[in-house]
Amino acid sequence: MNENRHEEYIDEFIDNLRNEQKPAFYRRQEQGKETEKDAELEKMFETVRAVKRIKKAWKYNTTAAFFRSRSFKGAVAAAAAILLVLGLNLFNLTGINDGNIVHAVVEAYEELHSYKGVVEIRSEREGETDFLETIEIKYQKPLQYSAFHIWNNSERHYLSDGEKLAIIGPTKITVDNLFPERELWRYHIGTAVWELEEAAEINVLGKEKIFERNTTVLEYRFPGDEDFHQMWIDESVNLPLRKVLNHPDGSSLTVEFKELEINPALEEDSFAWELPAGIEVEELNQAISLEEVKDGWPEVGQALAAAPADMELIQAGLLDEPFFDYVLRFRGESGKDFLDIYYTTTPNEPHFMAGGEQGTLDNDRVEVDEGVQNVFELYIGESNVARWIKSDAEIFIVSTRETFQLEKTLEEVAGSKINWEAVSAKTAQTEAGEYTLYYMEITDTSFRLEKEKRSFESPPEPQELVKALLQGPEKPELSRIIPEDTELLGVHVENAVAYVDFSSAIAEASYGSEAESVLVNSIVQTLTQLQEINAVQILVEGETVESLGGHISTFKPLP
Amino acid sequence: MKQAAASIQEELNLRAKEFWPRLYRFFYYKVQNKEEAEELTQETFHKVFRQTGNDNIEHDKIEAYLFTSARNLLTDLWRKRGRRPGSLSVEELREKGWDIPQQRQEVEERLMVQQALQELSHDYKKVLTYRIIEGWSVEEVAMKMGRKPGAVRSLQFRAVQALKTKLQEGGYFDE
C-alpha cells in the first residue's frame, strides 16, 4: 500500500475525529468504495483514538479542562437530543423535554416564597480552587434576606429588610439604603432560574445524584455566547441546586446549595432590623422623595414619564458614589424585571463599548450596549445599558429590558429621535493618513487579532486596505491570516456596505473557530474604520457563502 | 407470551434514559467520535427492541441482554475493519458503560499512551498534541509550527507511525 494514501487517510481520520464525525474511511468501506482492509492502517487509526482518549482523561481530571472541551459536551448533548427523538418515535419517553424543564423550574420559582440553605461559591482555575465562600441564607420574597458569609476566615452578615441592606462586619456596619439586592444576586436561586429563562439553548445532559438529591443535569448557553454552563435541577422541587458558569478563559464558577429547604417555616424575626450595638455604622446612599430629587435634577419629571408604563417606581435615591448623583429605580411585575435611571450633572467620559451602538440625540452622544456583565459590580450577570452624554449632564439606564426600550426611554426624555447615521465614532482612525490594519498574532494557546498602524499619503481606497491585508504585516510577530493563494477579485461600496470579493482559496483552508473569527474580524474591522463603510459583505467568487470555515455566518454584511 | 414481550418493551422504554448514556459512553470511548457512537447506541436499542418482540427474556436480564448486544455489535464491527476483536465480558462492559476513568484497565492504557508519547521526538509530540488532543486544523498547526501544511501532514503521519510502533512493542494491541 502506498504511503501517500496512508498519509491522506490518517489526516482525514484525524479531522473526522476532531469534528466528531464517523470516519469517512469507514463510510466508504460500507459503501463498497474502499476495499482495503489493512490491519496496519487500523492500528494507526486506533493509535489516533488512543491519543484522543488522553484528552478525555484530562477532562475528567481537571474540572476546568473538562468544561473547556466543547466536543465532549457536544457529544453528550447530541446524545440527549437523539434520545429525545428516539423517545418520541420509539419509546414514548416523557419528562425529559428541556422546554418542559424550564417551564417546571419557572413555575416552581413562582410558587416559592422563601428558602433556607447553605450555599457554597467556588471559583476554579486549572482544576485548582482559587476562591471559596460559604453562605448560610434565609430568604423571603421579594427582597428580605439574612445571610452569613464566610470566606478566608472572615465573616460578614448581610441583612436586608427588603428596602435597605446592612453589611455587618466585626468592626463596622455599612447600611446601603438603596440597593438591598447587592450581593444576593451572586447566589440567589432566582438568578439561576432567570438564567435558564434567558438561555438561547438548553440541553439535557442526564441525571445525577448530588447531596442525596436526584437531579437532572442541563447545559445552557446565553444568546450570542458560545460557552455552555451547567445546572443541576433538583427533581423533587424543580429548582436549581447547583450551577457551573464557565468562562472562555477556562476558569469556572460553581454556586451550589449543599442544603436547601423550600418554603420553610421561618421565624417571624428572621429579617428584623436589629443592628448590633457599639459598632460604627456607615450609611451609604439615601432614599429620598421626588421633590428632593428635583433639587438637583430639575427635569426628573421627564424621566418619570419616559419610563415604561408597565413598571412602577419603587425608589428614588441620592447616591454617594462618584459617577452618578441620583437614581430612579423601577420594577416590573416579575422580580427580575427592572429599569434603573441614573443621573449626574458631571458627565462621565464617553466609553466606546465594543459591540455597542452609538448615535446622537439632540446632537449629543448616545451609547447603547446589550449583555453587559456585572454593571457597577451591582447588577450581577448581564444587563442592557444606554447612555446619553450631554455637555452638562448624563443619563444612564441599566435594565433587563430590550435595548430598543431603553432607546425609546431616552428619546422620550429628550423629546426627539436618536440619529444612528451621524455616528461620531470612527475612533479607530487617529490622525489623517494613519490607519489600522488587523492581522493575526499566534500565541502558544490561541490566535488573536492584533493591530498594525500604517500611514497612507491620501485616504486609502477600500481595496488598498484589503491588499495590505493580503500582503501581510510588517511586524515580524504578526501573521497574515488570509490564505496565501487568495486573490482579491474586487471591492465595491454600496449603501455603506463594502462588498469584498475573494477567490475561492479563502474558503478552502480549514479554520478553527478562533482562526476564523480572526480572519473575519481582520477584514471587517480594517474596512469599517473608513468613514464610508459601516459593514462588510464577504463574497467568494462573486457569491455570498454561508461561512468561510463553518463557524461564523457570512451570509449577511457584518458590521 | 405476547403480554410478557410487551412489558419487556415497556421496561426498556422506562429505562432507556438510564441505559442510553451508559451505552453511548461505552461506544464513544471505543470509537472516539460522536456520530459513530450515536449510530451504534441507536442500533443496539433498535436491535434489542426488535428482538424482544420474539424473545421471552426475564426482566432483570434486560441489562445483560442490552450490553451483550452492544458487545456483539462492536465485535462485528472490528472484525469487518480487519481488527482482531478482543474479548470483553459483559460485566466489564457494564462497568465501562458507567464510569470510564475509574476503570483500571483504561487508566493503565492511558498511562501507557502518555508514556509512549513522552518518548517521541519533540516535533512528533507537538504535532499529535496540536492535531488530536487540542484539535487544531492542519493549516492552524502549520502556522503554529512555522511549516507548510503538506509538511504537517507528513509529520503527523510519521508521528502516528512512530507512536503505533511504540504501543505495539508495549503490547497495546494485544487485547
Side-chain angles (χ1 to χ4, degrees), chain A residues 310-321:
Chain A
D310 58 338
M311 286 186 142
E312 200 187 331
L313 178 74
I314 54 151
Q315 219 157 28
L318 179 63
L319 301 165
D320 286 332
E321 51 107 339

Side-chain angles (χ1 to χ4, degrees), chain A residues 328-369:
Chain A
L328 299 177
R329 311 201 75 194
F330 297 88
R331 288 290 171 276
E333 260 185 49
S334 87
K336 66 160 178 179
D337 190 19
F338 73 88
L339 184 134
D340 289 351
I341 305 180
Y342 288 82
Y343 177 85
T344 179
T345 49
T346 50
N348 297 290
E349 283 293 301
H351 172 63
F352 178 77
M353 295 177 279
E357 277 189 275
Q358 298 161 76
T360 56
L361 182 58
D362 280 354
N363 291 320
D364 289 312
R365 185 184 176 89
V366 166
E367 295 180 352
V368 178
D369 203 1

Side-chain angles (χ1 to χ4, degrees), chain A residues 127-343:
Chain A
E128 303 271 326
T129 299
D130 55 14
F131 175 78
L132 183 70
E133 182 176 356
T134 307
I135 300 150
E136 260 185 70
I137 176 150
K138 287 178 199 165
Y139 165 89
Q140 186 168 307
K141 268 185 184 172
L143 257 180
Q144 285 172 296
Y145 66 100
S146 169
F148 290 88
H149 292 230
I150 300 165
W151 77 102
N152 273 347
N153 300 322
S154 307
E155 201 181 318
R156 293 271 183 291
H157 177 201
Y158 287 75
L159 175 67
S160 163
D161 65 355
E163 286 178 356
K164 54 191 184 297
L165 171 71
I167 304 163
I168 305 163
T171 56
K172 195 174 141 190
I173 299 171
T174 306
V175 174
D176 187 329
N177 291 300
L178 283 182
F179 300 99
E181 70 270 43
R182 202 183 276 271
E183 292 289 320
L184 173 70
W185 304 116
R186 291 169 53 224
Y187 51 84
H188 184 41
I189 288 183
T191 309
V193 174
W194 302 328
E195 281 174 15
L196 274 195
E197 270 191 291
E198 279 161 25
E201 186 183 345
I202 297 170
N203 301 304
V204 178
L205 297 184
K207 307 263 175 196
E208 197 183 334
K209 198 164 189 169
I210 61 169
F211 310 125
E212 300 295 308
R213 292 160 184 257
N214 291 318
T215 66
T216 300
V217 189
L218 308 175
E219 65 170 8
Y220 61 107
R221 181 176 66 75
F222 294 117
D225 213 3
E226 276 191 33
D227 287 279
F228 276 97
H229 311 294
Q230 288 78 29
M231 202 179 287
W232 284 250
I233 310 291
D234 184 326
E235 289 180 347
S236 63
V237 293
N238 280 335
L239 287 167
L241 213 52
R242 173 200 282 163
K243 71 174 177 186
V244 177
L245 297 174
N246 302 296
H247 297 268
D249 69 0
S251 65
S252 68
L253 183 78
T254 303
V255 177
E256 63 188 18
F257 279 83
K258 299 178 110 71
E259 291 168 30
L260 179 63
E261 243 182 285
I262 300 298
N263 298 334
L266 293 176
E267 301 80 21
E268 259 184 40
D269 59 353
S270 289
F271 312 105
W273 191 256
E274 278 165 20
L275 304 184
I279 304 181
E280 180 200 343
V281 178
E282 186 193 14
E283 298 266 342
L284 201 63
N285 306 321
Q286 286 173 49
I288 57 174
S289 71
L290 282 174
E291 281 308 306
E292 288 171 294
V293 176
K294 241 183 203 162
D295 292 343
W297 182 3
E299 311 85 12
V300 63
Q302 290 159 346
L304 287 170
D310 58 338
M311 286 186 142
E312 200 187 331
L313 178 74
I314 54 151
Q315 219 157 28
L318 179 63
L319 301 165
D320 286 332
E321 51 107 339
F323 299 112
F324 293 96
D325 306 332
Y326 296 98
V327 64
L328 299 177
R329 311 201 75 194
F330 297 88
R331 288 290 171 276
E333 260 185 49
S334 87
K336 66 160 178 179
D337 190 19
F338 73 88
L339 184 134
D340 289 351
I341 305 180
Y342 288 82
Y343 177 85

